[in-house]
Amino acid sequence: MAERSKLQNVLGSSLDLQSARSRANRAALLELLAVMRAEEDTIRLGGGPKAAAAQHAKKRLTVRERLRLLLDEGANLFELGLWAAHDMYSEYGGAPGAGVVTGLGRVSGRLCMIIANDATVKAGAFFPMTAKKVLRAQTIALENRIPTLYLVDSAGVFLPLQEDVFPDTDDFGRVFRNNAVMSSLGIPQITAIMGMCVAGGAYLPVMTDTVLMTEGSGLFLAGPSLVQAAIGQRTGPEELGGATMHAEISGTVDFKEPDDQHCIARLRSLVGKIGERRTASSAAEAYNRIEYDAVRDAPRYPAEDLYALLNPAPGASNIYEMREVIARIVDRSEFDEYKADFGRTVLCGYARIAGRAVGIVANQKTNQNQTVAMGPQAGAKRIEVGGVIYTEGAQKAARFIMDCNQNLVPLIFLHDVNGFMVGKDAEWSGIIRAGAKMVSAVSTSVVPKIAIIVGGSFGAGHYAMCGKAYDPRFLFAWPTARYAVMSGASAAGTLAEVRAKQVERGGKVLTDEERSALYDEIKATYDAQADPRYGAARLWIDAIIDPAKTRDVLITALEACSLNPDVPHFNPGVLQT
């Protein structure tokens, strides 16, 4: 038998790490990462040392101390939504992390979603962003069928902002609705009450499968003061809703524990006994996976090389080869590129990450030579601008996304997109129709989708590359990400001109210096809003990640996605042809 030819699908690398540009990019990005890490450390302090001391005085642990006991030895929490409410609610003294910690962590060997109130931040009260952060964590758990653990220590709704927490579809009440829906889908939920659990928040533990409660904690719809005001009844907190009462009289609590340490030990024991739902066999998965060895199947190039690719300065012109990123996140740097010579500003192809098959859709940032297929310049050669989606690229991506759905291959989107091409040639070639086809394919996709914003993610390009509105299971961003309708320079140029004309209609003529100052003011505001920290504060982004950790993050995210073996029927609907 003739020897089989070896497949040539290993990506090469031409990244010059010693060039002046690479060294400058690396230095700037490491400096930015250091700043962000320091900010993250401050966020993790919650309400600060004084509030932590008050928590200890109640003989309770802080949320971070509880998490260290809960997680398996050597396991770290993959924190989601850390930046939530960053630089918000300053009139109330701020709400670091929105007063709740959420993330994926391994407990008794099981990957779990953890939602834990931080009582050092306004007694764990729910701000508007707190509710949204809890809902986002529940959504991730729901979509991926992840067992969910709640560590409750909360005073309930933050009353000064109750109108923004209470009534809407993505507000506090949705948390309890999600509890019921998750239960109906067989997603295990366990609650440990280790502090106050008051008012509407009292429903959360009882809506879950199992309830643990420590002595000295309180669980009641109305606290003693409100009860006295409402019905004139005088009662102490322990008699009204303490652990002993709920364990012995109401029967609401399943396990009464003396303190946080014993409660967490019990919680770990219970998690260790949760079974797994699989469709066909104990090893069955909906998505393709092969045996994986972390050393043998590692990428051929160091992940730290990624620091050299992008200049993190706002408005920087970053032209780079996106295959350099792919080569550092996929197994053995192997990439089966789809339609490699067609629609070249969009890269599509198949790879594996930790043995799991994935489809990758990425924006190519180098300019490309292409033959025009249609329109007034058909047959001519042109230069296509990197980061822009042309008609051919949109057509290619749409078909590739549909193929991945047909073959049950999860999708990873790597964003650095300026948007869709505009102009006469683009319109004649059917850019709107092709863009609609790509957006439709993303919208109706049923396989897991994970998006990473590497650089820019602007305008309709953000939508086509599976932005937040298109239900990615996870959405992450590098510190170099920029997230807006258009770039700061473009927006500032447009808005400054509009503002100048408004002023001039009032009879004043702006000098060049005044026009320049107006431009700079608008650009600074716009750049601040395009910063990934701004988006992460509003939960548009699940986490800002270290570029060198991208592969590790994807491994965890793909494992979480694999926990849900149920894939709906793929029906792409009507496509523009």
Side-chain angles (χ1 to χ4, degrees):
M1 177 184 261
E3 185 177 345
R4 292 182 180 177
S5 298
K6 183 171 176 60
L7 180 64
Q8 299 298 315
N9 65 347
V10 177
L11 292 172
S13 176
S14 58
L15 182 60
D16 182 3
L17 297 174
Q18 301 307 315
S19 70
R21 177 180 174 182
S22 291
R23 292 200 303 270
N25 287 350
R26 180 184 181 88
L29 183 50
L30 289 176
E31 182 180 354
L32 177 58
L33 276 170
V35 170
M36 286 188 170
R37 285 166 181 157
E39 290 179 295
E40 289 176 344
D41 288 343
T42 300
I43 293 171
R44 291 188 179 99
L45 292 175
K50 186 176 179 180
Q55 184 77 347
H56 291 153
K58 299 173 186 175
K59 297 184 178 179
R60 297 175 189 159
L61 301 175
T62 65
V63 66
R64 301 286 171 179
E65 292 167 340
R66 289 168 176 167
L67 291 172
R68 281 194 288 272
L69 289 178
L70 177 63
L71 296 170
D72 291 351
E73 187 173 352
N76 294 316
L77 181 71
F78 176 34
E79 194 159 350
L80 303 170
L82 172 63
W83 291 86
H86 178 62
D87 280 345
M88 298 173 68
Y89 310 124
S90 56
E91 65 272 35
Y92 302 107
V100 64
V101 179
T102 62
L104 296 172
R106 208 165 291 282
V107 178
S108 297
R110 292 292 297 273
L111 187 66
C112 296
M113 174 63 75
I114 300 168
I115 300 173
N117 298 118
D118 185 349
T120 70
V121 178
K122 302 293 188 294
F126 270 66
F127 286 75
M129 291 308 301
T130 314
K132 288 173 173 56
K133 182 171 175 178
V134 172
L135 290 173
R136 176 58 183 158
Q138 286 185 318
T139 298
I140 292 171
L142 207 158
E143 290 178 335
N144 299 293
R145 307 294 192 264
I146 307 172
T148 302
L149 312 178
Y150 303 88
L151 307 186
V152 176
D153 192 348
S154 171
V157 169
F158 186 67
L159 292 178
L161 295 174
Q162 64 85 23
E163 76 277 12
D164 296 321
V165 182
F166 171 67
D168 212 344
T169 53
D170 59 348
D171 286 344
F172 193 45
R174 188 79 171 186
V175 173
F176 317 133
R177 177 264 184 194
N178 284 351
N179 288 140
V181 172
M182 291 167 70
S183 182
S184 74
L185 293 172
I187 301 170
Q189 298 176 88
I190 306 176
T191 298
I193 302 169
M194 293 183 283
M196 290 298 104
C197 188
V198 185
Y203 285 113
L204 185 151
V206 187
M207 298 288 288
T208 63
D209 306 333
T210 306
V211 183
L212 294 74
M213 189 172 180
T214 59
E215 295 177 4
S217 295
L219 171 65
F220 22 67
L221 289 179
S225 298
L226 184 55
V227 167
Q228 183 176 353
I231 64 173
Q233 185 180 74
R234 291 177 177 271
T235 181
E238 180 60 36
E239 181 184 11
L240 180 65
T244 298
M245 189 283 289
H246 280 302
E248 297 181 5
I249 299 174
S250 77
T252 302
V253 170
D254 302 311
F255 296 90
K256 182 183 76 170
E257 304 297 340
D259 52 37
D260 287 7
Q261 291 88 340
H262 285 85
C263 186
I264 292 170
R266 178 81 68 184
L267 179 56
R268 284 182 49 81
S269 177
L270 294 172
V271 172
K273 297 174 178 65
I274 295 174
E276 292 191 63
R277 295 178 184 271
R278 294 295 185 185
T279 51
S281 69
S282 59
E285 284 190 22
Y287 312 107
N288 185 275
R289 183 188 183 195
I290 62 173
E291 185 181 346
Y292 163 74
D293 181 271
V295 176
R296 179 196 66 203
D297 298 322
R300 296 181 62 180
Y301 314 102
E304 289 74 18
D305 293 353
L306 295 174
Y307 295 142
L309 272 182
L310 279 78
N311 180 351
S317 177
N318 283 304
I319 299 174
Y320 62 94
E321 172 59 69
M322 184 60 86
R323 293 183 186 88
E324 298 283 3
V325 177
I326 297 171
R328 288 163 177 81
I329 64 174
V330 302
D331 293 358
R332 299 176 302 279
S333 302
E334 293 176 356
F335 183 58
D336 296 312
E337 189 167 349
Y338 175 85
K339 294 186 187 290
D341 299 319
F342 181 73
R344 294 175 184 168
T345 62
V346 179
L347 298 176
C348 300
Y350 300 98
R352 290 188 183 275
I353 296 178
R356 301 183 190 275
V358 297
I360 296 174
V361 180
N363 304 113
Q364 174 60 285
K365 286 297 290 181
T366 60
N367 296 340
Q368 300 293 309
N369 292 309
Q370 189 76 49
T371 301
V372 180
M374 56 188 75
Q377 300 297 320
K381 298 288 185 181
R382 72 176 175 206
I383 300 295
E384 295 190 343
V385 180
V388 175
I389 302 176
Y390 291 77
T391 299
E392 296 84 355
Q395 291 174 335
K396 176 174 78 171
R399 175 56 189 270
F400 178 74
I401 291 165
M402 289 190 287
D403 283 354
C404 286
N405 277 271
Q406 182 75 4
N407 297 315
L408 295 182
V409 180
L411 284 157
I412 294 170
F413 294 83
L414 302 177
H415 294 221
D416 198 342
V417 58
N418 297 335
F420 286 91
M421 189 58 189
V422 297
K424 180 178 175 180
D425 289 347
E427 298 293 356
W428 282 36
S429 70
I431 186 64
I432 297 175
R433 186 175 71 249
K437 189 183 300 183
M438 183 176 176
V439 169
S440 181
V442 172
S443 302
T444 59
S445 177
V446 295
V447 296
K449 297 170 292 191
I450 301 170
I452 298 180
I453 304 176
V454 172
S457 190
F458 299 120
H462 171 75
Y463 302 151
M465 292 295 293
C466 195
K468 184 68 180 292
Y470 292 81
D471 296 326
R473 298 281 184 94
F474 297 93
L475 195 155
F476 306 115
W478 285 10
T480 48
R482 290 293 177 269
Y483 196 178
V485 171
M486 63 181 74
S487 68
S490 299
T494 301
L495 293 174
E497 186 63 27
V498 170
R499 190 88 58 84
K501 287 181 178 178
Q502 289 173 338
V503 171
E504 289 169 355
R505 279 197 294 270
K508 179 182 178 181
V509 178
L510 295 178
T511 65
D512 290 343
E513 289 78 10
E514 288 172 327
R515 281 179 173 270
S516 178
L518 182 60
Y519 172 89
D520 291 342
E521 177 189 349
I522 294 172
K523 184 176 184 299
T525 300
Y526 208 89
D527 284 340
Q529 293 177 351
D531 188 286
R533 285 166 287 195
Y534 187 92
R538 288 150 183 82
L539 296 174
W540 304 338
I541 296 165
D542 292 319
I544 301 173
I545 63 173
D546 183 334
K549 302 294 184 184
T550 302
R551 176 174 165 85
D552 295 336
V553 166
L554 286 171
I555 288 172
T556 300
L558 287 166
E559 179 186 354
C561 292
S562 74
L563 297 178
N564 181 4
D566 298 324
V567 187
H569 174 68
F570 177 52
N571 181 9
V574 176
L575 292 176
Q576 292 288 339
T577 57

